[in-house]
Amino acid sequence: MIYSQTRPFPPWYFLVPGIAVGAGVLLPLVYLIVRAFGAEVAELIQIVFRARTVHLLGNTLLLVVGVVGTGILLAAPLAWITARTDLKGKRIFTLLGVLPLAIPGYVMAYALLGLSGPYGTFASLFGPSFPNLQGYWGALIALSFYTFPYFFLNLRTTLLGLDPAIEESAYSLGSGAREVFFRAILPQLRPALYAGGLLVGLHVLGDFGVVSLMRYETFSFALYTQYTAAYDRIYAAWLALMLLTLTGSLLYLEGRLLRGTKFHRTGTGVSHQASPISLGIWRIPAYVYLCVLTLACVVAPIVTISFWTLKGVDGSYMQDFLQALSGSLLVSTPAAFITAAFAVPLAYLGVRYSSSICRTLERGAYIGYATPPLAFALALIFFFRGIPGVYQTIWILIYAYTIHFLAEAIGPVRSALYQASPRLEEAARSLGYRPFKAFLKATFPLLRSGVTVSIAFVFLATMKELPLTFLLSPAGYETLAVNVWSYTTEAMFAEGARYALAIVLCSALFVGLLLMRGVKKTYSYAEAPT
Amino acid sequence: MQPLLNIRNITKRFAHNLPPVVEDLRFEVYPGEIFALLGPSGCGKTTTLRLIAGFERADAGEICVDGQCFEGAKTHLPPEARDIGVVFQEYALFPHLNVFKNVAFGLKKLPTKLRDERVMTVLDMVGMTPFKNRRPHQLSGGQQQRVALARSIAPSPKLILLDEPFSNLDAGMRHSTREEIRSLLKNAGMSAVFVTHDQEEALCFADRLAVMRDGCIEQIGTPETVYHRPQTPFVADFLGMTNLITGEAEGNCAQTPLGKFRIAPFARGKVLLSIRPEHLIMAPPETDAHTNGVGEITMREFKGHDLTYRVKIGTEDYVVQTDYCCPLQVGAPVTLRAVEPAVVVKHNEPHP
């Protein structure tokens, strides 16, 4: 039974953190807009409507479209093979579809740059060299290799869930294989493609490491050069605003496309798993494809990083490495705990209170996630510039991490919260506990595993985060991610290798956690024998 | 006797544009009494229970326990201050605590030694002592329910509320658990309000019951009264099977399509009568053919210890319950006769 609208107003200890997050996301962005409109109209027109804007817009869109297209091309066959065929070794190749997430874009860029060119790994190991990968193609490859798992995961889940009866009835109605694909299967894959496209698009728009290392001019890259070299604040603010507009358009587009695409089985017929398709002779090209993909996305970067690590082995950089490591740990650890501490009230508001205020507050966290980090970093710099004791400290960085990664931390807490019945707290109330104590005693113990996962998620995500760290960390502050980037820009691959290796390790743990969550089970009444 | 629980004109709505879930409710529960709120799903009975517990706020009316006002125009005592135990439909045992700690949960104010003694006493009462170290998910449904009951009894509340306490048990368990819990509550002298949609459960578990419909109480009384003297057609129909017959009353008799019936209470004019299937007797028409309309048996359901017949007279169907040995078959012509007075459930004209 539903008891709706019985507690329209949540207690302050849940509401205040929620409002704080909402304000934390919006205030800097609003301030950014205020600053952007601070110039004269004539000046504004000159800033906004210039050829360079069109050039940047074209470049950015080209990269988004390219990465999305390549991602689908890489992921679709992999998803189909692992979901619908009888190919041996499917499980291993399923892992392959997720593993590239462990190599962040800028590490991939490091690997590609370290691999190619006359002094690269490839030339050293095999002799012939191929030209330096740079610009559009370099950025496209680095980003596609890193992000195609988002398509893979979405497509595979959908393919596994498809009701084969729909295909079967299409065949029985006299459609050919091609027609069945376009008229019966593809429409059902659309939501997966949109969801994957949104995530990949957000990544490309938000990316800073790859485009800056590959020297490909997008809004992010221009923002960075504007910030470091010229520092025309109003122009920088406008670039950030344009990037935000682009992100907003992407979200809007996805919302529009997704409208009315709820596909599910109707009726009560028994759904059965499609029988796996036998590939026959096509097995050989399938294996070739899978091996090439593995080689390119996983083996090559790992080999490159290992190669340069071995090349750079001498103790002299150990001190620097430890310093960067402690720099990373020093911000990631508090950020992880603070973010998880905010995730609990926000998840609670979203799950337990149906009022629109609460859902809006929870959505604030998603705005923080979708906002391109570079634009948000710039907004924060504008916002806190005048405030001593905040600007140029690690607190501003922790603040940015909290806002940016909160959405990722809410997920595990929310699913744990769905397992905990609201009756538990009511039972505690009727046994004499005041509301907050009742939450602490009856509900919170059930959230522990969720909160732990959240902390781990945010910790690992911040360890490998680059753009926020780069722009917001105090001058001279070293972290693993920043050092990978810095050494790569200088083409000092041997020096950067150990940092890249550390990042890959963190990311691998992150991916491992992601995979483990799929099988993790928490307490529930469903387990109770009756 | 002073009532323990006093509900006065309670009204609750969840939204302004919706009809109230509970409207102008009024009843009392006396010390040591087991009181049932009976009604179909959505009738507001669970909301009433949640209002008493303090999980919901009433829009109007008062709730008093032991003379103290818990809920009123300006007062709303939070659940933790009410001293009322609640047993939830899904039991809501704390999954992270074992049985012992679940029961001890509400005894935080007692010193450890007294608390442990009290937990053991209550566990003993419900027969769960051997399971004190188990986690809830290691218990069967019936065992979970006993722990939930023990947990709510442990702090010795003034009143216990039970929400559909037997609905999550399978049919076999339900009977024995019902008896056990009733004697347990009675032995402990506990007062209880429980909610159910199962009329049989309400009749055999409660000392008194209120039949609810669309947020209002239709009738309050002992199981016998409510069953034998339903005041509305809804109550008559909801508590077991019945035949609703229109008739023209004159004093203690009424003329109906089936013939002349004795009625109770006295009435005059057009009336709606309820007569239970077991109070009707079938007879072949030749014995007293001149008295009543003759009908035909349209259905015969043999159930072992008894039989249910459906008889068509004119355009109406009537249900008749007979004992195990009735030989009449489908198609046989019969007349119907009542052995008990029919109950007047609705007056179409005001009483003279």
Side-chain angles (χ1 to χ4, degrees):
Chain A
M1 208 174 279
I2 300 150
Y3 309 107
S4 59
Q5 314 206 356
T6 50
R7 291 178 300 171
F9 224 73
W12 64 269
Y13 42 83
F14 290 131
L15 202 57
V16 169
I19 292 171
V21 167
V25 179
L26 289 181
L27 281 182
L29 294 180
V30 169
Y31 189 69
L32 182 77
I33 294 169
V34 171
R35 287 304 297 265
F37 282 94
E40 299 282 324
V41 178
E43 197 186 343
L44 283 185
I45 291 171
Q46 209 192 343
I47 288 172
V48 180
F49 298 98
R50 55 167 113 169
R52 191 170 143 79
T53 307
V54 180
H55 172 70
L56 290 176
L57 182 67
N59 273 2
T60 308
L61 288 179
L62 209 62
L63 191 60
V64 171
V65 172
V67 174
V68 166
T70 315
I72 294 173
L73 285 180
L74 290 177
L78 187 62
W80 187 75
I81 289 169
T82 57
R84 299 296 287 270
T85 70
D86 64 346
L87 200 72
K88 284 203 172 61
K90 273 198 305 189
R91 295 234 172 121
I92 296 164
F93 290 117
T94 306
L95 194 66
L96 159 72
V98 193
L99 220 52
L101 282 177
I103 304 166
Y106 62 93
V107 176
M108 187 63 89
Y110 162 92
L112 288 176
L113 290 168
L115 181 77
S116 59
Y119 306 107
T121 315
F122 196 81
S124 304
L125 291 177
F126 304 107
S129 72
F130 56 90
N132 252 326
L133 267 171
Q134 276 220 335
Y136 179 72
W137 295 105
L140 178 75
I141 292 172
L143 284 169
S144 307
F145 280 7
Y146 169 45
T147 56
F148 84 83
Y150 292 114
F151 279 116
F152 170 74
L153 289 171
N154 276 303
L155 284 173
R156 186 180 135 85
T157 313
T158 311
L159 279 173
L160 284 175
L162 281 190
D163 187 355
I166 293 175
E167 275 165 69
E168 284 158 15
S169 34
Y171 278 117
S172 75
L173 290 169
S175 306
R178 172 197 288 261
E179 211 178 341
V180 167
F181 177 76
F182 280 103
R183 292 185 51 192
I185 301 179
L186 196 61
Q188 299 194 74
L189 295 180
R190 261 166 54 201
L193 290 174
Y194 294 155
L198 177 73
L199 281 171
V200 172
L202 286 178
H203 265 276
V204 176
L205 290 179
D207 170 75
F208 154 74
V210 173
V211 290
S212 58
L213 290 175
M214 291 295 180
R215 304 193 180 282
Y216 179 67
E217 282 215 301
T218 61
F219 277 117
S220 295
F221 185 70
L223 213 106
Y224 154 71
T225 46
Q226 199 53 230
Y227 173 72
T228 50
Y231 204 53
D232 175 347
R233 275 207 231 155
I234 295 199
Y235 186 46
W238 271 103
L239 284 171
L241 221 55
M242 288 176 207
L243 191 56
L244 280 173
T245 313
L246 214 56
T247 309
S249 313
L250 186 70
L251 289 169
Y252 176 76
L253 186 73
E254 208 248 357
R256 278 299 295 268
L257 287 172
L258 217 53
R259 201 172 295 164
T261 53
K262 278 235 167 110
F263 297 111
H264 47 75
R265 284 168 43 77
T266 53
T268 52
V270 179
S271 171
H272 60 103
Q273 198 82 47
S275 51
I277 294 163
S278 182
L279 280 176
I281 193 71
W282 285 96
R283 202 181 306 138
I284 295 159
Y287 275 126
V288 169
Y289 166 77
L290 293 171
C291 291
V292 169
L293 197 64
T294 318
L295 217 60
C297 299
V298 184
V299 178
I302 300 287
V303 166
T304 307
I305 294 169
S306 313
F307 171 84
W308 286 110
T309 311
L310 290 173
K311 236 185 166 181
V313 164
D314 62 18
S316 61
Y317 296 103
M318 210 52 203
Q319 196 65 35
D320 294 340
F321 178 77
L322 287 177
Q323 197 189 336
L325 181 66
S326 73
S328 283
L329 289 175
L330 250 126
V331 277
S332 290
T333 311
F337 281 93
I338 293 170
T339 310
F342 274 103
V344 172
L346 274 155
Y348 196 90
L349 288 177
V351 172
R352 293 285 171 87
Y353 294 92
S354 52
S355 66
S356 55
I357 316 169
C358 299
R359 263 176 292 148
T360 313
L361 285 178
E362 203 199 7
R363 217 159 287 168
Y366 292 92
I367 299 176
Y369 178 72
T371 306
L374 224 55
F376 191 65
L378 200 76
L380 284 184
I381 290 170
F382 281 169
F383 196 66
F384 284 112
R385 225 183 134 71
I387 307 170
V390 180
Y391 188 60
Q392 288 280 341
T393 65
I394 61 166
W395 294 109
I396 191 169
L397 185 56
I398 290 171
Y399 168 40
Y401 281 163
T402 304
I403 297 290
H404 189 66
F405 291 111
L406 193 54
E408 266 181 86
I410 288 176
V413 181
R414 193 219 308 264
S415 30
L417 204 48
Y418 274 125
Q419 304 274 321
S421 160
R423 306 288 155 269
L424 294 174
E425 256 172 78
E426 286 177 355
R429 295 286 302 276
S430 75
L431 290 167
Y433 288 79
R434 292 161 64 84
F436 186 66
K437 203 79 189 289
F439 164 76
L440 225 54
K441 287 275 186 179
T443 306
F444 190 70
L446 308 182
L447 304 184
R448 264 185 214 148
S449 66
V451 171
T452 312
V453 173
S454 288
I455 291 173
F457 259 150
V458 176
F459 176 77
L460 294 169
T462 51
M463 287 293 278
K464 65 192 173 87
E465 205 282 339
L466 178 65
L468 291 172
T469 319
F470 181 74
L471 253 72
L472 295 175
S473 52
Y477 196 84
E478 284 182 33
T479 73
L480 298 174
V482 170
N483 279 8
V484 175
W485 187 87
S486 310
Y487 284 120
T488 311
T489 47
E490 307 289 334
M492 295 164 77
F493 298 113
E495 288 80 354
R498 65 193 69 191
Y499 302 102
L501 202 62
I503 293 286
V504 169
L505 214 63
C506 279
S507 308
L509 285 174
F510 183 85
V511 171
L513 202 63
L514 206 74
L515 293 176
M516 255 173 55
R517 279 207 19 95
V519 289
K520 174 109 186 114
K521 237 181 148 186
T522 44
Y523 299 115
S524 79
Y525 284 111
E527 289 173 45
T530 42
Chain B
M1 193 167 31
Q2 187 76 16
L4 174 74
L5 172 69
N6 207 335
I7 308 271
R8 291 195 209 111
N9 313 91
I10 280 288
T11 297
K12 169 76 188 170
R13 38 178 95 232
F14 282 139
H16 296 292
N17 49 351
L18 294 175
V21 227
V22 163
E23 194 173 11
D24 205 22
L25 230 55
R26 183 189 261 277
F27 62 89
E28 287 96 38
V29 177
Y30 292 92
E33 189 176 41
I34 298 178
F35 189 88
L37 290 166
L38 171 68
S41 66
C43 73
K45 53 193 193 302
T46 296
T47 304
T48 310
L49 207 70
R50 293 173 59 81
L51 281 161
I52 301 170
F55 299 139
E56 311 281 349
R57 293 203 63 160
D59 293 317
E62 276 185 352
I63 297 173
C64 297
V65 174
D66 239 355
Q68 189 196 352
C69 182
F70 279 9
E71 187 87 31
K74 290 198 181 68
T75 35
H76 169 78
L77 213 61
E80 60 268 25
R82 293 196 176 199
D83 200 9
I84 291 177
V86 183
V87 178
F88 291 90
Q89 184 175 7
E90 61 269 42
Y91 314 135
L93 295 178
F94 304 118
H96 59 291
L97 300 178
N98 64 19
V99 168
F100 186 93
K101 286 182 175 160
N102 260 285
V103 177
F105 197 87
L107 302 170
K108 54 179 173 149
K109 284 184 187 129
L110 286 183
T112 318
K113 194 165 170 289
L114 284 177
R115 192 190 62 197
D116 292 358
E117 276 174 24
R118 175 67 184 156
V119 173
M120 290 318 287
T121 312
V122 181
L123 280 179
D124 212 37
M125 275 167 71
V126 297
M128 287 297 291
T129 314
F131 303 96
K132 66 179 164 59
N133 291 323
R134 295 258 186 106
R135 288 284 188 83
H137 65 91
Q138 295 168 311
L139 302 175
S140 72
Q143 291 169 330
Q144 288 188 40
Q145 198 213 29
R146 278 185 242 182
V147 177
L149 186 68
R151 185 178 68 178
S152 64
I153 288 178
S156 315
K158 293 190 189 111
L159 179 67
I160 287 197
L161 308 175
L162 304 111
D163 186 6
E164 300 272 5
F166 309 108
S167 65
N168 280 347
L169 302 176
D170 55 62
M173 285 284 293
R174 218 174 287 173
H175 256 89
S176 54
T177 315
R178 211 149 64 189
E179 281 163 33
E180 269 173 47
I181 289 187
R182 186 177 156 81
S183 60
L184 205 144
L185 289 173
K186 283 291 166 194
N187 290 339
M190 293 294 314
S191 318
V193 177
F194 83 105
V195 148
T196 181
H197 62 269
D198 182 335
Q199 44 101 7
E200 187 196 321
E201 196 170 293
L203 290 176
C204 70
F205 196 77
D207 297 322
R208 282 195 310 137
L209 56 100
V211 183
M212 287 185 72
R213 178 200 192 187
D214 295 337
C216 300
I217 288 179
E218 295 250 322
Q219 189 173 356
I220 301 179
T222 61
E224 287 81 0
T225 320
V226 176
Y227 185 81
H228 290 303
R229 290 285 167 87
Q231 284 168 357
T232 69
F234 175 79
V235 174
D237 207 32
F238 194 72
L239 283 138
M241 280 194 290
T242 198
N243 295 293
L244 292 171
I245 305 165
T246 50
E248 193 68 31
E250 187 57 56
N252 67 346
C253 276
Q255 193 62 44
T256 74
L258 299 182
K260 204 168 191 183
F261 275 15
R262 280 189 300 136
I263 59 167
F266 291 3
R268 180 169 295 150
K270 255 189 167 356
V271 285
L272 189 65
L273 301 169
S274 158
I275 182 146
R276 297 281 177 202
E278 64 269 28
H279 295 161
L280 284 174
I281 288 182
M282 293 187 297
E286 54 271 20
T287 53
D288 50 353
H290 54 284
T291 49
N292 307 325
V294 177
E296 187 190 312
I297 296 175
T298 56
M299 190 207 77
R300 178 182 192 265
E301 204 174 72
F302 178 69
K303 292 184 288 188
H305 70 290
D306 62 352
L307 285 137
T308 304
Y309 283 90
R310 207 171 273 280
V311 177
K312 196 176 183 82
I313 298 177
T315 55
E316 297 293 317
D317 267 337
Y318 300 93
V319 182
V320 181
Q321 195 79 13
T322 71
D323 63 13
Y324 61 93
C325 62
C326 186
L328 293 167
Q329 294 296 329
V330 171
V334 286
T335 57
L336 296 178
R337 184 160 63 84
V339 292
E340 291 286 333
V343 182
V344 179
V345 290
K346 198 167 75 181
H347 296 265
N348 282 4
E349 281 166 16
H351 208 275

